[in-house]
Amino acid sequence: MYLKSNAKIDACAYYPGIIREVMKVFLESDVGLVQLPCPEFLYLGLDREAIHGENTTIESEDTRVALRMNEEIAQELCHQIVSNIIYQIDEYRKHGFQIVGLVGINCSPTCGVETTWSNDREHLGQGVFIKMINDELVKRQISMKMVGIKAKDSKQAVIAIKEILYS
């Protein structure tokens, strides 16, 4: 779950911290949260290794990041993170906790749930990291709801979160 915008590349952060409207729904629902690590941040840093001074757009940067996150080292990092996440899920379930679901950021080349980014456009599909998580959940026969939100559309994000919590 990515609720803190400050893990995103600067130009894509719509909040200085958490998405307040979404966090309010979680607080009112009395659920626990686990903030997933951001693979892009861990592999490329906060600036995603952008070339400063270049005339780039958010779209061209997302495309560049999508290509970088398909590099072998990035893929290995994602697999390590997925192993840690699956371990946490197993531990919580073993001790009687219900895992309500996973929230990702749509349009992200890495963490998109319903939509991702490549070739200078948003399209249907999962980002590389979310796909790895989903593949591992399927392999282990663990059913988990997943929803993608966009921080710039907090009203739709709240609707999506409520669907995952109350359906």
Side-chain angles (χ1 to χ4, degrees):
M1 171 175 321
Y2 289 100
L3 295 177
K4 49 179 209 179
S5 290
N6 47 12
K8 295 179 68 58
I9 198 165
D10 286 340
C12 296
Y14 293 94
Y15 294 84
I18 61 169
I19 304 169
R20 291 176 188 260
E21 297 88 348
V22 170
M23 186 56 71
K24 182 179 177 188
V25 174
F26 284 123
L27 289 170
E28 291 171 352
S29 301
D30 290 327
V31 296
L33 299 176
V34 175
Q35 173 74 41
L36 299 179
C38 174
E40 291 177 17
F41 181 92
L42 294 174
Y43 184 58
L44 300 170
L46 187 56
D47 68 355
R48 306 307 193 260
E49 295 183 357
I51 301 171
H52 299 286
E54 289 280 319
N55 190 15
T56 60
T57 63
I58 292 172
E59 293 81 8
S60 66
E61 281 300 293
D62 275 348
T63 296
R64 184 184 62 77
V65 168
L67 291 169
R68 295 291 313 272
M69 292 309 295
N70 278 293
E71 294 173 356
E72 185 177 341
I73 296 172
Q75 296 284 300
E76 290 172 11
L77 173 65
C78 287
H79 281 293
Q80 290 172 2
I81 298 169
V82 168
S83 292
N84 289 329
I85 291 167
I86 297 298
Y87 174 79
Q88 290 179 58
I89 290 169
D90 286 342
E91 281 296 302
Y92 280 120
R93 291 176 66 202
K94 183 169 69 176
H95 291 280
F97 289 88
Q98 176 189 6
I99 308 297
V100 177
L102 181 144
V103 179
I105 298 295
N106 276 339
C107 198
S108 165
T110 309
C111 296
V113 175
E114 290 99 14
T115 65
T116 188
W117 188 273
S118 64
N119 300 320
D120 293 331
R121 67 177 185 85
E122 179 179 10
H123 58 89
L124 292 176
Q126 295 179 323
V128 295
F129 180 58
I130 295 297
K131 184 172 181 343
M132 284 182 191
I133 292 172
N134 191 53
D135 289 350
E136 191 62 29
L137 291 170
V138 168
K139 183 174 128 184
R140 293 170 177 257
Q141 299 179 338
I142 298 172
S143 177
M144 182 181 300
K145 297 177 194 172
M146 291 189 187
V147 66
I149 63 171
K150 290 185 178 179
K152 66 182 176 183
D153 189 351
S154 61
K155 288 181 183 174
Q156 185 59 40
V158 166
I159 290 168
I161 298 301
K162 286 181 177 180
E163 285 177 15
I164 205 170
L165 290 172
Y166 303 118
S167 62

